Amino acid sequence: MKYKKFFVLLSVALVAASITLLCIFGLRLGIDFKGGAQMELSYTGERPEMAVLKSAAANAGFGDALVQPAGEHDYIIKTRDLSEAERTALIAAATINGTFPAEQKSFTSIGPSVGSELKRKAIGAIILVLIAIITFIAYAFRKVSKPVSSWKYGLIAVVTLVHDVVIPMGIYVVLSWVYGTEIDTLFVVALLTILGLSVADTIVVFDRVRENLHAKKGQPFETLVGESLRQTFVRSINTSLTVILAVIALAVFGPESTRSFAIVLAAGMFFGAYSSIFLASPLLVYVNQWQGKK
């Protein structure tokens, strides 16, 4: 509470930086959302260098292809929607004229209309989750009206959730810019998971504030919030840390297909634990102070 201004400003700076990255570079949508084809090739022997494979694909007319390694012997190639002849031509190009024998392990094709529908449903799912969270917290804290009304607890929780989602999105933009990572349905799953796990931490702190409001009447609100934090932050950190360690293990030792998902989830869990302690509680105090000046 003593340094609440610093922590709030730090959060604002991180969110502003993430939004700036999103505006400048944008999010690279995968075939799940824009439509296209995804092929996984498994090389029977040594696989070519990624730069060589990209060059061969470009020379064959697939300059927009995104190439990602998968395991030790596979490559995942994402490109526009392909006809049967184009699919065969891409496989031929990927073998570098037979120099690197390979077989098709999987092939997925998604039309642009299906991709657009998935994008709408993903955005709708996130909006519905945020509305449900505000409604639930307002109901759960309905008996708390002083000094901060119940719906403001829900509003503050959503502000922290925006913080917890926007910053990982900024990190994903950097991954996309550096490594060519694309947004797929796993990214949406990661965001929804962050929303659920992050709000749980925030509710634990708010619930302790609610209990202390009844148990320690007459105590200054800022002191009471600080005491509530001291009683809950160890639990919040330990809970988040166990999840973060598991997700980091998935990022390091798991398959290539889930690595970006794990990195985003780990970042979201870290900033979720941070926001429940260093952002949500200070905002609660600031709302109370603002009300006192009206």
Side-chain angles (χ1 to χ4, degrees):
M1 291 299 101
K2 182 179 179 181
Y3 302 104
K4 59 183 180 295
K5 184 176 181 180
F6 167 78
F7 291 119
V8 171
L9 289 176
L10 177 61
S11 294
V12 170
L14 290 172
V15 170
S18 298
I19 291 175
T20 301
L21 287 172
L22 285 166
C23 292
I24 294 175
F25 300 104
L27 291 170
R28 189 194 297 262
L29 297 178
I31 65 169
D32 292 349
F33 297 110
K34 68 180 180 181
Q38 174 177 303
M39 178 189 298
E40 183 172 356
L41 293 176
S42 181
Y43 289 85
T44 55
E46 182 184 2
R47 68 181 181 185
E49 294 292 329
M50 190 161 62
V52 174
L53 181 54
K54 285 182 178 180
S55 177
N59 291 335
F62 303 98
D64 61 339
L66 176 66
V67 179
Q68 295 176 319
E72 296 182 0
H73 301 286
D74 299 357
Y75 273 119
I76 294 175
I77 303 175
K78 299 178 181 180
T79 184
R80 65 181 187 275
D81 199 20
L82 302 176
S83 64
E84 183 61 28
E86 289 174 325
R87 184 180 66 84
T88 303
L90 180 58
I91 294 175
T95 62
I96 321 296
N97 296 323
T99 306
F100 297 92
E103 60 181 18
Q104 180 181 296
K105 197 171 182 179
S106 64
F107 181 80
T108 304
S109 180
I110 297 178
S113 59
V114 176
S116 298
E117 183 181 358
L118 282 173
K119 184 162 52 176
R120 288 195 303 271
K121 287 185 175 180
I123 295 172
I126 293 173
I127 292 173
L128 285 175
V129 166
L130 292 175
I131 293 173
I133 287 171
I134 289 181
T135 305
F136 169 74
I137 295 178
Y139 176 78
F141 288 79
R142 65 191 182 281
K143 295 182 180 179
V144 180
S145 58
K146 295 181 180 180
V148 178
S149 56
S150 60
W151 68 270
K152 291 178 182 176
Y153 282 85
L155 186 60
I156 291 172
V158 170
V159 169
T160 62
L161 288 177
V162 171
H163 166 277
D164 301 339
V165 167
V166 169
I167 295 176
M169 288 177 72
I171 293 172
Y172 207 88
V173 169
V174 175
L175 292 175
S176 176
W177 184 35
V178 177
Y179 299 107
T181 308
E182 293 184 334
I183 287 182
D184 54 13
T185 49
L186 275 180
F187 177 79
V188 179
V189 172
L191 292 187
L192 292 173
T193 305
I194 290 168
L195 290 175
L197 295 177
S198 176
V199 77
D201 266 351
T202 304
I203 288 178
V204 166
V205 177
F206 283 178
D207 196 50
R208 186 54 57 91
V209 172
R210 178 179 60 176
E211 293 174 356
N212 287 336
L213 280 171
H214 294 290
K216 302 179 181 182
K217 294 181 179 180
Q219 192 174 35
F221 187 67
E222 183 171 349
T223 303
L224 187 144
V225 172
E227 179 64 25
S228 301
L229 275 177
R230 282 193 292 271
Q231 295 170 357
T232 57
F233 81 91
V234 172
R235 172 189 169 183
S236 295
I237 290 175
N238 288 342
T239 302
S240 299
L241 187 60
T242 55
V243 178
I244 290 171
L245 290 175
V247 175
I248 288 176
L250 177 62
V252 175
F253 302 108
E256 183 73 25
S257 58
T258 60
R259 186 157 298 162
S260 299
F261 162 80
I263 291 173
V264 171
L265 188 54
M269 287 302 302
F270 174 83
F271 286 106
Y274 168 89
S275 67
S276 64
I277 298 171
F278 298 104
L279 180 60
S281 301
L283 286 178
L284 200 58
V285 173
Y286 276 126
V287 167
N288 178 57
Q289 291 176 350
W290 175 74
Q291 289 180 159
K293 293 178 181 179
K294 289 180 67 177

